Amino acid sequence: MNAYPLRVNGVEHDVVDAWDGENLLYVLRERLGLPAAKAACEQGECGSCSVMVDGRLVCACLVLASSAIDADIVTPEGIQPSAHGELTPVQDAFVSEGAVQCGFCTPGLVMAVHDLLNREPAPSDLAVREALSGNLCRCTGYGRVLAAVNRAAHAAAAAR
Amino acid sequence: MAVLLPTTIDETLAALAATPAALVLAGGTDVMVDVNEGRRRPEHVVCLRRVETLRARSVENGTLVLGAATTYTELLEPEIAAVAPAITDAARTVGSPQIRNAGTIGGNLATASPAGDTLPVLLALGASVEIDGPAGRRRIALQDFLVGPKRSALEPGDLMIAVRIPIRRGPQEYLKVGTRNAMVIAVASLALVVDLDARTVGIGLGSVGPTAFLAAAAAEWLTPRLVWADDRVSLPQAADAATFAGLVAAAAQPIDDHRSTARYRTHAIEVMASRALRRAVQFGAPHRAAT
């Protein structure tokens, strides 16, 4: 096919003149100008390209983009409460706890934490570790990230 | 490349009949790695994402029937854990949440890696694979389906429909050795399934041979040495456990590779066999049954 549609963050896009074997990560970054999902291992090992496809957290690098033509795709750009630079409570917790060093893994981690807290608003420490087991950070280790998840969960509980 | 997105099994079979060399794409966690790295450039892809019936799960006359496109995450559901706990245990060790959300049991089988995490369990449970295609609808016992390293009995034009798993009452154990608890390909793995009604034991091994396989001789040696009760099984001679573990290790044919050594794998399999048996079976004289 010469063009196929993709619905990303609620917006319909046409992917034009692309090879049908391209993975979703490549299409998001190189064809649709959505660079928040990061390209690193391209074999599902690192989690830095985590996105939601039909409500499921997956590695965009392992999704054949041309097979996702009727799916609801949400990227890290799409979780913002508005277009005005506001942060989600999870992103805010990452900032407050200093859970970022180089920042490359952060969008994927944020997606994984959103997915976790949507499923399990008050996760145990072990549940958090399991939920983040597919997201690699090569700078800092994970202590601050775990603290950020804890902070986000508590903030959400306090707001309820 | 042409990508087809059928919505029913019949449409999928028709697509595969028209292009028998097509690549069948399920979760993509194996296939897309090859595509990304340029190792595979399929002309035709038949994608199973929209075929809802391939994700059906049911229990039929004591058999758990899992649609081939059931994901690992779906295998974690309490309804599966209640009837086949070792499948849930194995599924939980696969990759990461992202991988478990995409990867499927049918993909694990069709890839037929000796390290496939669900394979030792499905072998130990006595599972079979339901296939449709040019030769018609048929069932193949899993040990006959796994014909070689990364080679299955699937023929061009075939589609795996479901995995059929006998529901067995009794202890089930799954053990896996790797460098982490997540995102790891097994260095060695073992499943042990006790069936208290049939009074049989199944032992499946992974990553210690060209395919996952059954340690049938060790199971046959063990079974008559067990004392069976309705709700438990005992091994009166505790020393038999070591002999059993040695027989399981003797069945292994591991190799040295970048993940481990043959020597370590043999050692790990022996330890896992002993440990799984200890968890599943009461050692020493059987307790008198409660009255």
Side-chain angles (χ1 to χ4, degrees), chain B residues 35-90:
Chain B
V35 172
N36 290 347
E37 295 183 0
R39 289 197 297 260
R40 265 198 232 216
R41 284 248 168 179
E43 270 186 54
H44 299 275
V45 175
V46 175
C47 176
L48 305 182
R49 189 173 68 84
R50 281 177 171 169
V51 190
E52 283 293 322
T53 43
L54 286 177
R55 298 197 12 216
R57 305 185 282 286
S58 64
V59 172
E60 296 171 6
N61 301 323
T63 299
L64 174 65
V65 183
L66 298 175
T70 302
T71 65
Y72 299 112
T73 298
E74 287 161 345
L75 296 178
L76 305 182
E77 288 169 3
E79 295 75 20
I80 309 285
V83 294
I87 291 182
T88 298
D89 288 346

Side-chain angles (χ1 to χ4, degrees), chain B residues 8-268:
Chain B
T8 65
I9 288 173
D10 284 346
E11 280 177 26
T12 310
L13 288 167
L16 290 171
T19 54
L23 177 71
V24 178
L25 177 66
T29 55
D30 290 320
V31 162
M32 285 303 291
V33 175
D34 284 348
V35 172
N36 290 347
E37 295 183 0
R39 289 197 297 260
R40 265 198 232 216
R41 284 248 168 179
E43 270 186 54
H44 299 275
V45 175
V46 175
C47 176
L48 305 182
R49 189 173 68 84
R50 281 177 171 169
V51 190
E52 283 293 322
T53 43
L54 286 177
R55 298 197 12 216
R57 305 185 282 286
S58 64
V59 172
E60 296 171 6
N61 301 323
T63 299
L64 174 65
V65 183
L66 298 175
T70 302
T71 65
Y72 299 112
T73 298
E74 287 161 345
L75 296 178
L76 305 182
E77 288 169 3
E79 295 75 20
I80 309 285
V83 294
I87 291 182
T88 298
D89 288 346
R92 198 171 170 198
T93 74
V94 174
S96 63
Q98 290 90 329
I99 300 299
R100 295 196 286 272
N101 284 341
T104 66
I105 193 167
N108 207 208
L109 290 166
T111 293
S113 161
D117 286 311
T118 67
L119 276 49
V121 180
L122 294 171
L123 284 165
L125 285 161
S128 59
V129 181
E130 190 163 341
I131 295 168
D132 208 339
R137 176 93 57 144
R138 59 205 191 275
R139 288 178 194 167
I140 302 179
L142 182 54
Q143 60 266 37
D144 300 325
F145 176 85
L146 302 171
V147 298
K150 300 208 171 179
R151 287 198 356 258
S152 78
L154 287 169
E155 299 284 346
D158 275 347
L159 176 68
M160 192 192 309
I161 305 293
V163 185
R164 302 181 64 89
I165 301 154
I167 295 173
R168 301 188 185 274
R169 189 175 64 86
Q172 301 184 2
E173 301 295 336
Y174 175 74
L175 298 166
K176 171 176 170 180
V177 171
T179 48
R180 271 185 75 188
N181 282 336
M183 281 319 302
V184 80
I185 292 172
V187 160
S189 61
L190 177 145
L192 188 150
V193 172
V194 173
D195 186 328
L196 289 169
D197 296 312
R199 301 195 164 182
T200 55
V201 178
I203 301 142
L205 307 184
S207 292
V208 289
T211 67
F213 63 96
L214 282 165
E220 275 167 33
W221 182 89
L222 177 68
T223 308
R225 288 167 173 79
L226 296 170
V227 175
W228 298 85
D230 177 62
D231 61 344
R232 73 178 79 88
V233 60
S234 319
L235 184 66
Q237 302 296 323
D240 284 346
T243 309
F244 164 75
L247 287 170
V248 175
Q253 316 148 41
I255 57 169
D256 291 336
D257 66 11
H258 61 289
R259 252 175 231 114
S260 189
T261 63
R263 188 165 167 231
Y264 177 73
R265 287 183 158 115
T266 302
H267 170 73

Side-chain angles (χ1 to χ4, degrees), chain A residues 7 9 24 49-58 71-76 79 111-112 114-115 118-119, chain B residues 101:
Chain A
R7 188 165 60 252
N9 301 328
L24 178 60
C49 68
S50 298
V51 298
M52 304 297 289
V53 175
D54 284 339
R56 293 198 268 190
L57 184 77
V58 297
D72 277 312
I73 298 160
V74 179
T75 71
I79 59 171
M111 293 303 284
H114 271 263
D115 178 55
N118 282 339
R119 286 182 290 110
Chain B
N101 284 341

Side-chain angles (χ1 to χ4, degrees), chain A residues 5-28:
Chain A
L6 277 188
R7 188 165 60 252
V8 184
N9 301 328
V11 178
E12 298 284 349
H13 297 265
D14 276 322
V15 182
V16 182
D17 288 335
W19 177 52
D20 281 348
E22 289 169 359
N23 66 57
L24 178 60
L25 175 63
Y26 182 87
V27 169
L28 290 171

